[in-house]
Amino acid sequence: MVAVMRYRASVLIPALLVIGAIVASFLASSGPIQWMDNGMFLADASEGRYFSETLGPLDHPLYLFVTTALFAGFGPFVLSLMNSLLLIPLGWAIFRLARGVGANTRQALLAIAAAVLCHCVFWVSTKAEVYLLHTLLVTLAYMLHFCDRQRMGALPTLFVIGVLTGLAAGIHQLTFIVLFPLYLQLLWQHKARILMTVPGFALGFAVAIPGILHEMQSGLGLIDIAHRYLIGIPDKTTEQSWQGSLFRFDDMWHEKNSVALLMLSLIGPQLVGLLLFPKRPQLRLLWCAAMMNFIFAVSYNVTDRFTFFLPGAVLLSIIGVMQLDAWLQRRNADGLSNAAPLSGPVTILAVYAIYASGIVTLPTHKEALPFRDDIHYFMAPYLRDRSAEQFVRSYEKSAPEGALIIADWTPNGALRSAQASGLLKGRNFESCEEVANIDAYLNGPGAYLARTSYCGMIADRFTLETLAVGYELRAK
């Protein structure tokens, strides 16, 4: 009886941490109006287009299908909470995977809490973004390999892993990096039987078939389609190719702010998992996958490179918690393990509090957005940010129905997601690069410019009347 009570006490705090972490994600959600890509994802889901007509590097066919169905069935608010909801099945998958590689119940629960509270995972959970659903599918593939292969049998397990791989690939190309170590292991274990994953992959990737067929009708061959899907069009000098951004170790110091954002996800057990090579063969496989993910993400020359690190952060949470707990147990200090998942949020929020008090200055984007504090927005996702909604509410007052609002990509996401949620009815939106016939609006409802950043070609052509947010355009 005493042993049972001790066991229940040992898992109570980790279980409460898990529940608290997931609830915190719901509370910190950015809502149905969001900036940039996140807002565009919400707007795309409102169009009722279930299948992508292309298969480029920025197309996410399965994510489009899922979000469109969720928007049609439950509306924009529930869709904005989708990633917070996905933390529940992700937590289950992490628990099963951790148990499959040797963790006890307490360690498995702590691994869930550490993963959910990890900076990159928590940030994405509060936004409309593709990476959490992708991470769930990747985690399930590793879970299946370690937990259910004996119960299901080799061939069914390989088939289902193939399905999960296809589903994940229908969301993001990162699949082929994070699952590469798993497939090497499967090849070594099963030899030719690994071909059973091929029909599974085809089934999982079926949601992308309409896009592939449309591309073929446009004259592209399968090799060109695959190349474009993986890294963009072959000409790496164009904006539509990401080939020139891959493995840019030479540019990491210049982009040190975005590298520093990624490093926030290593505060806590994740750093222990990354730096200490594990002894257990099962953990070594997870470590190799996480290390490949880290090398790719840290050298990928984009501002939001931290969002590409979710699968690695989840795997390192499992490895780090197990290694840290074992080290603390040897020193009779295993009670400190319960604090490990909180180390990241506590450190980040402490630094943010010092910044907010004015004691230190932290680097921000040179092109500021109305109502948005970049340090709050990017560094402290545990505190709810509704700056995009504030921006939209301002335009509700200043831009009448029928007006044209011109904006670059980031505020455009807020404007379009707002209209998908029922705000800004009757307003017309155009990007700075594609807008035409502005003059037709000047003598009517009016034309407005969200900001001059990235829109200098528009600002030079008109007289700008400064408003509370942005500008109204007047003929020179």
Side-chain angles (χ1 to χ4, degrees), residues 126-148:
T126 65
K127 306 290 187 291
E129 190 55 271
V130 303
Y131 302 103
L132 203 72
L133 180 57
H134 175 261
T135 299
L136 170 61
L137 294 168
V138 168
T139 306
L140 287 171
Y142 276 101
M143 182 204 80
L144 197 63
H145 172 67
F146 285 112
C147 298
D148 292 330

Side-chain angles (χ1 to χ4, degrees), residues 201-459:
F201 179 90
L203 178 61
F205 201 60
V207 72
I209 290 177
I212 295 173
L213 295 176
H214 190 271
E215 298 274 34
M216 294 177 68
Q217 290 172 358
S218 301
L220 288 178
L222 288 176
I223 295 178
D224 291 331
I225 294 172
H227 188 283
R228 182 170 176 267
Y229 162 67
L230 290 172
I231 53 176
I233 61 178
D235 183 5
K236 64 182 180 181
T237 63
T238 67
E239 293 181 358
Q240 296 182 30
S241 175
W242 300 101
Q243 191 171 341
S245 300
L246 297 172
F247 303 111
R248 291 299 303 271
F249 298 99
D250 59 312
D251 215 23
M252 285 174 58
W253 178 250
H254 182 264
E255 299 296 331
K256 53 185 175 295
N257 291 343
S258 61
V259 173
L261 274 177
L262 187 149
M263 294 302 178
L264 295 178
S265 298
L266 293 177
I267 301 175
Q270 294 82 9
L271 183 62
V272 176
L274 183 70
L275 296 181
L276 298 182
F277 188 67
K279 297 179 180 179
R280 296 185 183 184
Q282 302 97 321
L283 295 182
R284 289 178 183 176
L285 179 62
L286 301 186
W287 185 88
C288 289
M291 179 59 77
M292 289 183 65
N293 188 185
F294 175 75
I295 292 172
F296 171 82
V298 77
S299 63
Y300 191 30
N301 195 30
V302 294
T303 303
D304 61 345
R305 66 187 74 196
F306 71 93
T307 60
F308 291 82
F309 188 50
L310 264 71
V314 166
L315 299 180
L316 289 178
S317 297
I318 297 172
I319 302 168
V321 163
M322 291 179 65
Q323 301 221 89
L324 182 62
D325 190 60
W327 185 84
L328 290 172
Q329 282 184 7
R330 290 194 295 269
R331 286 153 182 80
N332 296 319
D334 54 310
L336 293 176
S337 298
N338 292 335
L342 296 172
S343 54
V346 169
T347 302
I348 290 169
L349 291 175
V351 173
Y352 177 75
I354 295 172
Y355 156 80
S357 67
I359 297 175
V360 298
T361 301
L362 297 175
T364 58
H365 200 286
K366 62 181 180 180
E367 305 292 351
L369 281 164
F371 303 106
R372 194 177 89 176
D373 178 342
D374 281 347
I375 302 302
H376 175 192
Y377 181 77
F378 284 111
M379 194 185 82
Y382 314 101
L383 305 174
R384 187 172 71 170
D385 176 90
R386 291 290 178 94
S387 56
E389 182 177 343
Q390 291 177 279
F391 168 76
V392 166
R393 296 289 182 187
S394 176
Y395 266 106
E396 277 269 298
K397 299 174 182 177
S398 61
E401 288 195 33
L404 172 67
I405 304 176
I406 307 165
D408 61 279
W409 181 259
T410 299
N412 232 338
L415 296 170
R416 293 185 182 276
S417 59
Q419 198 165 71
S421 298
L423 299 177
L424 293 175
K425 293 180 179 179
R427 281 74 165 186
N428 304 292
F429 310 126
E430 292 287 351
S431 67
C432 300
E433 298 83 7
E434 299 177 356
V435 64
N437 200 23
I438 299 174
D439 294 335
Y441 291 88
L442 296 183
N443 297 324
Y448 299 81
L449 183 64
R451 60 175 179 170
T452 56
S453 305
Y454 310 107
C455 296
M457 73 293 286
I458 305 295

Side-chain angles (χ1 to χ4, degrees), residues 114-169:
V116 173
L117 292 173
C118 181
H119 173 267
C120 63
V121 177
F122 198 94
W123 192 94
V124 170
S125 76
T126 65
K127 306 290 187 291
E129 190 55 271
V130 303
Y131 302 103
L132 203 72
L133 180 57
H134 175 261
T135 299
L136 170 61
L137 294 168
V138 168
T139 306
L140 287 171
Y142 276 101
M143 182 204 80
L144 197 63
H145 172 67
F146 285 112
C147 298
D148 292 330
R149 57 184 175 180
Q150 293 181 346
R151 180 171 61 85
M152 292 178 61
L155 292 180
T157 299
L158 290 170
F159 178 80
V160 177
I161 288 176
V163 172
L164 292 169
T165 305
L167 290 170

